[in-house]
Amino acid sequence: MFSHCVFLSTVSCRVTVTLQPNWSVIYRGEKITVRCEIQGGGDTGWTYEWRTPSSNNPPSHSEYTISRVTESHSGDYRCRGRRDYSLTEWSRVLRLTVSPNKPQASLTAGSRVLPAGGRVTLTCSVNPSPGWKYYWYRENKLSEPLNRHDAVSQTTGTTSVSQEGLYRCRGGRGDPVYYTHFSQAVRIDTIVSNTAVVTLQPNWTEIYKGERITVSCEIQGGGDTEWTYEWETPRSLKPSNQQEYRISSASSSHSGDYRCMGRMKSAHRNTTEWSDSVKLTVYDNKPRPVLTVSPSWLSPGASVTLKCEVEHPSAGWRFYWYKAVPDGSQRSYSYELLPGSSSGTEQDSYIVHGQTHTAGYVCVAGRGDPVIYTETSEVKFVWSGDVRPSASLTVSPDRAQHFTSDSVSLSCEGNSTEWRVRRFDESNYLSHCSDWGRMTGSTCNIYSYGPSNAVYWCESGSGEFSNTVNITVQSTLHCIFSLFHFFWNLNYCQSLM
């Protein structure tokens, strides 16, 4: 028995695998066709061999159609052709990726409100794959796409609408059509002529931590119409749809822009425009008012004017005025309310009549209900040189000007057994004897290089101020140089005579 030998020759025809439709991402359930094309090999007489990721035997003809793809069809596809005793090379690999998840369309609106007589542009997209046509839906009619009269175009990703309502879209491609999931709904409203305005009560745009404020949305020209309200605020937790947004204890997280809009209850798609923004600033730290006293030195019969200023000025403050009383057991003061300021004064100034001796003052400001108070101002003094029997200060050596090399004693006398000596220097620094000298009984001893240009006074344990002494200090070296300069000039003049 003789065997027959069959020899196959390889031909040089180019073989290509193509995908129809040629989309970069295919989704589960879509229909595709994989095609084997032999270039330059004529159109007839070929049979085809396929290598595919699927275990099913592919056909022997040029097209391989999958009516509903699944993830099992993902992978590499190759083919080659056979005719008589000729065989092509294997084609290059075509890699197919099948996504298991149906995509969801994304819908955006150029505006959420319809201008009078105008239209709003909607944009629908499906990423990242091409080939989609778009279908638009209004309200809950998801089985009835809009026609070209309602929406300008269904074949591109944009359309424009002239009616308020709740809109959705989805994409579709292929034959039969494969649809995406519906997009999230976008609501388009009609603008009414009424104007929304944000108001603050109290009307303070700068407030402090802990203060109470109410932000309201007023609809101008709203008449008897019932409204619900929408807010945009700095906080992620949005207020309810009520007219008022009450902040019972403000913090820095409430700082930012507030705006609102109104929506008619009877026609829920009819809304106002968004109001203009109102900027609210909340400071974490309580303010400390600045107190000024005029004049700083008393003259007989003169009155003293106190002025209290709050940083970040805003309305609504009432001012409380206090007299400083030395506290014998502490290095501080207690405070006595001045007459007529128990409920605070609207004016930020206060006049003290009949003051004849050294005194210290502070102020506090408060506002709101319940009242939020500022910090207490620094103590400011009005000084007097008048000596009083109940509290007096004497200086030894008894002169107004001293030298840095001098030792100076400041002695307190009067109706008290407890004393402290204080000074207020050129740098506006208030200090005690222990900071620059030594207190022994009722006397403060300042040693060499201890004196400073300052005003000095005594404070008694019974809460009184003494007279005030203004001491200036001259450098010893400066004085020696001045004397040398004087005598040199004197000798020079005599030599010319």
Side-chain angles (χ1 to χ4, degrees), residues 81-252:
R82 180 193 299 268
R83 184 171 63 182
D84 297 331
Y85 299 106
S86 300
L87 186 67
T88 68
E89 296 283 355
W90 283 102
S91 69
R92 291 185 178 180
V93 168
L94 170 72
R95 178 157 294 171
L96 176 65
T97 301
V98 179
S99 174
N101 300 317
K102 179 182 286 192
Q104 182 176 24
S106 174
L107 178 59
T108 58
S111 173
R112 295 297 182 97
V113 292
L114 280 168
R119 304 178 74 92
V120 168
T121 298
L122 304 179
T123 301
C124 190
S125 60
V126 180
N127 290 319
S129 182
W132 300 100
K133 293 184 180 181
Y134 297 94
Y135 302 83
W136 309 88
Y137 304 84
R138 181 171 174 266
E139 300 300 342
N140 294 319
K141 299 177 181 179
L142 301 183
S143 61
E144 302 176 20
L146 299 178
N147 57 36
R148 290 182 63 85
H149 176 73
D150 300 313
V152 170
S153 176
Q154 296 176 348
T155 58
T156 65
T158 61
T159 188
S160 64
V161 295
S162 58
Q163 289 181 295
E164 77 277 358
L166 202 63
Y167 287 87
R168 294 180 177 84
C169 74
R170 63 175 175 173
R173 68 182 184 182
D175 183 18
V177 178
Y178 173 86
Y179 292 102
T180 67
H181 288 299
F182 285 97
S183 69
Q184 295 293 325
V186 170
R187 185 170 62 198
I188 305 299
D189 298 318
T190 298
I191 291 297
V192 296
S193 60
N194 306 88
T195 302
V197 177
V198 173
T199 61
L200 302 177
Q201 184 59 38
N203 189 23
W204 307 328
T205 56
E206 293 182 320
I207 63 174
Y208 296 89
K209 183 178 181 179
E211 287 197 285
R212 175 184 296 175
I213 194 165
T214 299
V215 188
S216 298
C217 187
E218 303 289 344
I219 308 297
Q220 296 181 349
D224 297 330
T225 304
E226 292 188 346
W227 302 85
T228 59
Y229 301 85
E230 294 182 19
W231 289 92
E232 285 189 357
T233 73
R235 309 192 81 190
S236 58
L237 181 61
K238 299 299 180 185
S240 65
N241 59 353
Q242 301 302 308
Q243 182 182 12
E244 292 184 346
Y245 176 34
R246 299 187 179 186
I247 302 173
S248 58
S249 181
S251 66
S252 58

Side-chain angles (χ1 to χ4, degrees), residues 257-270:
D257 294 329
Y258 290 77
R259 66 176 191 160
C260 71
M261 63 181 290
R263 185 179 301 279
M264 289 184 178
K265 285 186 176 181
S266 59
H268 204 56
R269 303 294 184 209
N270 291 352

Side-chain angles (χ1 to χ4, degrees), residues 7 13 44 99 113 124 145 191 212 214 304 321 374 404 483 489:
F7 297 94
C13 302
T44 60
S99 174
V113 292
C124 190
I191 291 297
R212 175 184 296 175
T214 299
V304 178
W321 311 92
T374 67
T404 54
L483 289 172
N489 282 329

Side-chain angles (χ1 to χ4, degrees), residues 469-490:
V469 175
N470 188 12
I471 294 178
T472 58
V473 178
Q474 181 74 41
S475 168
T476 305
L477 291 176
H478 177 77
C479 185
I480 293 173
F481 176 79
S482 297
L483 289 172
F484 171 79
H485 186 70
F486 169 76
F487 284 115
W488 185 89
N489 282 329
L490 180 63

Side-chain angles (χ1 to χ4, degrees), residues 298 301-304 351-357 361:
L298 282 173
S303 59
V304 178
I351 297 177
V352 181
H353 297 284
Q355 186 67 37
T356 58
H357 56 274
Y361 300 95

